[in-house]
């Protein structure tokens, strides 16, 4: 634990649920205009990238958002605002269908989509000529994006260092089965309903555009992420069922294979990821720094006097990158 950046939750914001929900209602104001670029993918689809421009001799930070997130998510804005203050460059790569426009193909995105992560990072490195310049590339994955990033890092092993200088994952659902189960319990169903409201809408739109591909009635009746993954995520992305999707996509088993400096930050009171499912020091590689503060919620980490500030998280992430 970095004592300087030890996270202590505000006394006026107690509990994991309050610490998770409150930041959504106090979203930071964007402090810089972003430049959108569309990348055409090899399969005929597209993704959109929002760029924070800055001096070409400064580090570049690439971010992958969480489930149904975007460059407008509160954590995206807080990190981008801090990068702007540091005069660093940034880029948020939207997963398919998350930039405000439906993607073209039935395929969407999922928590273990390391193939997509690989293509995106190679595109960034090539387009920005980072290998020629020798400038660092730092990568942040938030929640679902963090899980996919960690899985990619583990799969790549030492090869990841050819593209990435260091990485950080925040509130990643490292064990998807454990996360899926806990999100069906008690108050956590509020989060499930929140995610399903947009996930089901997108899936039903795909059902209309691609008749016969999905079961529209089953999707409309879905009330849990397990059911959604059964009727949508698994069949669209080549998994036999939800169990196989969760098992093959979880990043936790891959942490022991990571060979670039990687920071993993999860609050022990995160409603999405039970503390007893978090990895121990002996289950990760020596290149992985685990930080599991008691408080923080799910991508919360608000601090300061009321109404609070979002700056602790970006400061902690950039301090890790600077220490590498």
């Amino acid at each position: 634990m970095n004592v300087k950046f030890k996270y202590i939750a505000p006394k006026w914001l107690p509990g994991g649920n309050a610490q998770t929900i409150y930041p959504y209602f106090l979203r930071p104001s964007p402090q810089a205009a972003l430049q959108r670029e569309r990348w055409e993918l090899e399969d005929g689809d597209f993704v959109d990238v929002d760029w924070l421009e800055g001096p070409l001799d400064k580090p570049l930070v690439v971010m992958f958002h969480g489930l149904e997130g975007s460059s407008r998510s509160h954590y995206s804005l807080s990190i981008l605002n801090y990068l702007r203050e540091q005069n660093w460059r940034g880029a948020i790569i939207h997963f398919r269908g998350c930039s405000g426009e439906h993607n073209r193909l039935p395929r969407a995105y999922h928590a273990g989509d390391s193939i997509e992560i690989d293509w995106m990072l190679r595109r960034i490195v090539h387009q920005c000529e980072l290998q020629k310049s020798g400038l660092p590339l730092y990568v942040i994955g938030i929640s679902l994006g963090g899980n996919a990033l960690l899985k990619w890092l583990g799969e790549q092993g030492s090869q990841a260092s050819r593209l990435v200088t260091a990485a950080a994952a925040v509130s990643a659902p490292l064990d998807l089965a454990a996360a899926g189960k806990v999100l069906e319990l008690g108050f956590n169903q509020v989060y499930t309903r929140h995610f399903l409201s947009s996930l089901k809408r997108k899936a039903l739109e795909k059902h209309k555009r691609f008749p016969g591909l999905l079961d529209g009635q089953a999707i409309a009746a879905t009330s849990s992420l397990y059911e959604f993954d059964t009727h949508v995520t698994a069949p669209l992305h080549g998994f036999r069922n939800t169990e196989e999707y969760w098992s093959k996509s979880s990043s936790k088993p891959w942490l022991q294979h990571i060979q670039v400096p990687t920071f993993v930050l999860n609050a022990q009171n995160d409603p999405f990821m039970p503390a007893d499912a978090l990895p121990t020091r002996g289950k990760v590689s020596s290149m992985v720094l685990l930080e599991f503060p008691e408080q923080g919620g799910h991508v919360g980490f608000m601090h300061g006097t009321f109404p609070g500030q979002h700056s602790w998280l970006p400061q902690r992430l950039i301090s890790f990158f600077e220490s590498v």
Side-chain angles (χ1 to χ4, degrees), residues 25-61:
F25 295 98
L26 192 73
R27 192 175 65 173
S29 299
Q31 296 178 4
L34 302 179
Q35 303 298 318
R36 175 156 292 187
E37 178 185 9
R38 176 154 296 182
W39 287 351
E40 294 293 332
L41 304 178
E42 296 171 350
D43 60 8
D45 214 337
F46 71 93
V47 294
D48 289 327
V49 185
D50 284 351
W51 292 91
L52 173 67
E53 297 181 345
L56 296 180
D57 60 347
K58 295 294 185 179
L60 172 62
V61 177

Side-chain angles (χ1 to χ4, degrees), residues 64-70 73 75 95 98 109 141-146 195:
F64 297 107
H65 59 76
L67 182 63
E68 294 300 274
S70 71
S73 297
Y75 51 80
F95 293 118
C98 290
Y109 68 102
I142 305 294
S143 193
L144 176 146
F195 288 128

Side-chain angles (χ1 to χ4, degrees), residues 179-242:
K181 291 176 183 177
V182 79
L183 281 170
E184 294 183 6
L185 304 176
F187 184 86
N188 288 352
Q189 295 176 70
V190 171
Y191 305 117
T192 297
R193 288 195 292 270
H194 169 73
F195 288 128
L196 287 177
S197 65
S198 59
L199 288 170
K200 289 169 66 173
R201 183 171 62 251
K202 289 181 179 179
L204 290 171
E205 190 273 339
K206 286 186 184 293
H207 170 64
K208 292 179 181 179
R209 288 168 53 203
F210 306 99
L213 179 67
L214 299 170
D215 185 337
Q217 288 186 332
I219 294 172
T222 292
S223 60
S224 70
L225 291 177
Y226 178 93
E227 292 175 352
F228 182 85
D229 288 341
T230 295
H231 297 301
V232 181
T233 311
L236 283 186
H237 302 101
F239 299 102
R240 289 197 307 270
N241 49 40
T242 296

Side-chain angles (χ1 to χ4, degrees), residues 72-132:
R72 301 294 297 176
S73 297
H74 69 83
Y75 51 80
S76 300
L77 292 171
S78 66
I79 293 172
L80 288 169
N81 288 346
Y82 189 69
L83 291 177
R84 178 177 174 272
E85 292 176 11
Q86 301 303 304
N87 216 21
W88 285 21
R89 296 178 292 159
I92 295 185
I93 308 178
H94 294 90
F95 293 118
R96 304 188 192 211
C98 290
S99 60
E101 183 177 335
H102 293 299
N103 64 306
R104 300 173 188 140
L105 302 181
R107 186 198 196 290
Y109 68 102
H110 63 85
D113 210 349
S114 52
I115 294 177
E116 201 90 316
I117 296 286
D118 186 74
W119 187 91
M120 292 169 170
L121 289 177
R122 291 180 187 279
R123 169 70 184 255
I124 281 278
V125 169
H126 175 74
Q127 179 171 320
C128 297
E129 299 184 329
L130 293 177
Q131 291 176 333
K132 290 182 180 179

Side-chain angles (χ1 to χ4, degrees), residues 206-278:
K206 286 186 184 293
H207 170 64
K208 292 179 181 179
R209 288 168 53 203
F210 306 99
L213 179 67
L214 299 170
D215 185 337
Q217 288 186 332
I219 294 172
T222 292
S223 60
S224 70
L225 291 177
Y226 178 93
E227 292 175 352
F228 182 85
D229 288 341
T230 295
H231 297 301
V232 181
T233 311
L236 283 186
H237 302 101
F239 299 102
R240 289 197 307 270
N241 49 40
T242 296
E243 285 77 11
E244 183 180 71
Y245 163 49
W246 286 355
S247 174
K248 288 190 173 182
S249 299
S250 293
S251 62
K252 188 176 177 180
W254 291 102
L255 298 179
Q256 59 187 316
H257 302 294
I258 293 177
Q259 295 299 312
V260 298
T262 299
F263 178 48
V264 177
L265 175 66
N266 283 76
Q268 295 181 45
N269 69 347
D270 184 339
F272 297 16
M273 182 67 192
D276 59 9
L278 293 171

